[in-house]
Amino acid sequence: MNKFTKEVMSVGEMASGAKLTVPVYAFKSENSSAPNVYIQANMHGAEVQGNAVIFQLLELLQHCDLQANITLVPYANPVACNHKNGEYTLGRFDPITGVNWNRMYHFDPTVIEPFVQQYIDASEEEIKVKFQQLLLTEIEKKLEHNIWGITTGQRIAYQLQRLAHQADIVLDLHTGPISSKHLYCPEYAQASAEYFDIEHTILIQNDFDGAMDEATFCPWWSLQQAYQASGRKFTMGEGAFKKESFTVELGSQEQIDLDVAKQDALGILSYLTYQKVIDNKQYQPQKMTRYACYLKDYKALYSPMGGMVDYLAEFGKPLAAGQPLARILRMDNYGDGEALHYVSLEQEVIPILHFASASVNQGTELYKVFCNYFEL
């Protein structure tokens, strides 16, 4: 049986002086050649299913043939986890700054070109080691040597990112409002999407927009591009540069299901087996039809009016053009106007998620859907 360690990482302080802490679990392998893995959950307060998945992973990993070091962090954001209003968790945005908690990670692209010039003739292994050191140094500067200070959210994000930068594979576990499972996958890592037990994949460009997955793969992608521009070629995802990061959307917020979480954990173990993190062929991807679209074709549909919404479209199934996604009840119109209004689109789509509440204002995001989708 594999033993794990548990540490408690302090990520900030409350006004009372009480510490904000995060649990960090780690498995250490004797095999140093396989990838290091980092998995976190619950950066957004209401997105709790990832904690159940980490629980199931901890249970399963103790009995796996591990070929890598694996670090797991549930409750990654203690502020968001505890940001309650009545029965609801509001922890999607920093209540002080209003910034999305998952848009506070750091990447400075200006460090790329000087690094390439300094290590233009270095071996791939030396490049990997030195560049990882550079990324960690950048985070340390943000945390420890910023005379103007940093926000609460940045302090949490940077300490999580410091752990993630030490990994070759990063999985950031999230959920939607009311949602099906789906995967955010870098375009260069498309082949890996087939090893998760997730039917729907959004292929994202290799650009940085502040999220954890981007913060951990975009620096390496930018490094590859800069080396290629200098006449030195290596391939992202191969050899010393096997860096992959995904945002894994596990369904709906504000609820956990431990049985479903076990199936989600088995799907993650399938991917980790593919990446030779686990030497156990029992974890294989399920056979399913997997659909994908590019991020530009992952569209939000906003409500044309205020009212009470009856969400009609089934998640994950192609919906023909003209078929209703929802109907909006307007009781204020009953008796002297149209009380029911149907909402549809003029093209075939796959509905992925919808707003959590039936009560919407005009302009509320009703659905997010795949357009121009294709099979993986």
Side-chain angles (χ1 to χ4, degrees):
M1 178 178 290
N2 301 310
K3 294 183 178 180
F4 62 85
T5 60
K6 178 184 178 181
E7 297 181 0
V8 177
M9 180 173 67
S10 176
V11 295
E13 296 178 356
M14 299 175 67
S16 65
K19 299 290 186 183
L20 293 167
T21 60
V22 170
V24 179
Y25 298 89
F27 291 91
K28 300 296 182 183
S29 170
E30 296 180 358
N31 184 346
S32 61
S33 63
N36 294 313
V37 179
Y38 174 78
I39 303 173
Q40 73 173 31
N42 212 177
M43 189 62 181
H44 291 137
E47 301 182 9
V48 293
Q49 177 69 1
N51 299 318
V53 173
I54 286 181
F55 165 78
Q56 296 289 16
L57 285 170
L58 286 166
E59 293 282 288
L60 292 164
L61 287 169
Q62 293 179 66
H63 306 283
C64 290
D65 184 2
L66 295 182
Q67 301 296 311
N69 301 319
I70 303 179
T71 301
L72 305 101
V73 180
Y75 306 126
N77 185 346
V79 177
C81 292
N82 293 290
H83 186 191
K84 305 291 289 189
N85 187 352
E87 61 188 285
Y88 299 105
T89 310
L90 301 182
R92 185 170 183 80
F93 302 96
D94 183 333
I96 306 300
T97 65
V99 178
N100 186 326
W101 290 113
N102 193 35
R103 295 296 183 272
M104 300 189 198
Y105 299 99
H106 173 71
F107 170 46
D108 178 7
T110 65
V111 304
I112 300 295
E113 191 59 37
F115 180 90
V116 169
Q117 295 306 314
Q118 182 177 359
Y119 294 101
I120 188 64
D121 294 320
S123 68
E124 288 193 0
E125 189 57 41
E126 183 181 9
I127 291 170
K128 176 184 178 181
V129 170
K130 295 295 186 182
F131 190 63
Q132 186 176 72
Q133 289 175 349
L134 173 62
L135 295 177
L136 290 169
T137 299
E138 289 288 303
I139 292 297
E140 291 298 335
K141 287 179 181 177
K142 300 293 288 186
L143 279 168
E144 307 296 342
H145 304 291
N146 189 330
I147 62 172
W148 301 105
I150 54 177
T151 69
T152 299
Q154 289 171 329
R155 184 170 299 279
I156 293 170
Y158 296 159
Q159 289 182 89
L160 296 171
Q161 191 175 351
R162 179 166 56 190
L163 295 175
H165 272 325
Q166 298 172 57
D168 304 288
I169 293 169
V170 175
L171 302 180
D172 192 12
L173 309 183
H174 286 257
T175 68
I178 306 298
S179 177
S180 62
K181 297 175 188 177
H182 52 289
L183 182 74
Y184 284 88
C185 172
E187 290 182 5
Y188 73 84
Q190 178 177 330
S192 293
E194 299 179 25
Y195 291 88
F196 291 90
D197 290 338
I198 295 177
E199 294 180 335
H200 302 98
T201 295
I202 302 160
L203 296 171
I204 62 175
Q205 293 180 316
N206 308 319
D207 298 322
F208 180 65
D209 193 34
M212 169 60 93
D213 55 353
E214 300 158 348
T216 46
F217 81 76
C218 283
W220 295 92
W221 177 261
S222 299
L223 184 70
Q224 172 191 273
Q225 297 301 100
Y227 268 107
Q228 288 182 349
S230 299
R232 172 81 182 271
K233 184 176 181 180
F234 58 78
T235 302
M236 185 76 168
E238 296 181 3
F241 302 97
K242 195 168 191 61
K243 298 286 183 175
E244 293 191 352
S245 302
F246 304 89
T247 295
V248 185
E249 300 279 354
L250 297 165
S252 303
Q253 64 189 24
E254 292 280 44
Q255 58 187 8
I256 69 167
D257 185 320
L258 283 165
D259 294 331
V260 172
K262 185 170 184 179
Q263 295 305 309
D264 293 333
L266 292 173
I268 289 172
L269 293 182
S270 166
Y271 166 72
L272 295 181
T273 299
Y274 162 65
Q275 293 293 10
K276 297 181 172 57
V277 171
I278 297 169
D279 186 11
N280 191 330
K281 300 305 181 185
Q282 76 178 87
Y283 300 117
Q284 296 295 322
Q286 295 181 26
K287 292 183 178 180
M288 60 178 67
T289 301
R290 293 175 171 83
Y291 293 104
C293 78
Y294 292 100
L295 183 61
K296 65 181 178 61
D297 292 320
Y298 185 45
K299 300 291 189 182
L301 172 66
Y302 298 95
S303 182
M305 64 188 69
M308 306 294 117
V309 181
D310 182 8
Y311 298 99
L312 301 175
E314 184 179 359
F315 288 147
K317 306 296 182 183
L319 184 72
Q323 292 297 306
L325 285 94
R327 54 189 174 189
I328 301 176
L329 175 63
R330 289 288 300 265
M331 285 304 301
D332 58 312
N333 287 341
Y334 192 82
D336 55 9
E338 292 292 333
L340 280 180
H341 298 263
Y342 284 81
V343 179
S344 61
L345 292 167
E346 296 180 356
Q347 64 183 106
E348 184 173 286
V349 298
I350 298 179
I352 299 297
L353 61 82
H354 67 64
F355 191 60
S357 173
S359 176
V360 303
N361 296 326
Q362 187 178 41
T364 295
E365 183 182 284
L366 287 183
Y367 273 93
K368 295 192 83 169
V369 301
F370 280 15
C371 303
N372 303 318
Y373 59 86
F374 50 90
E375 289 190 22
L376 281 180

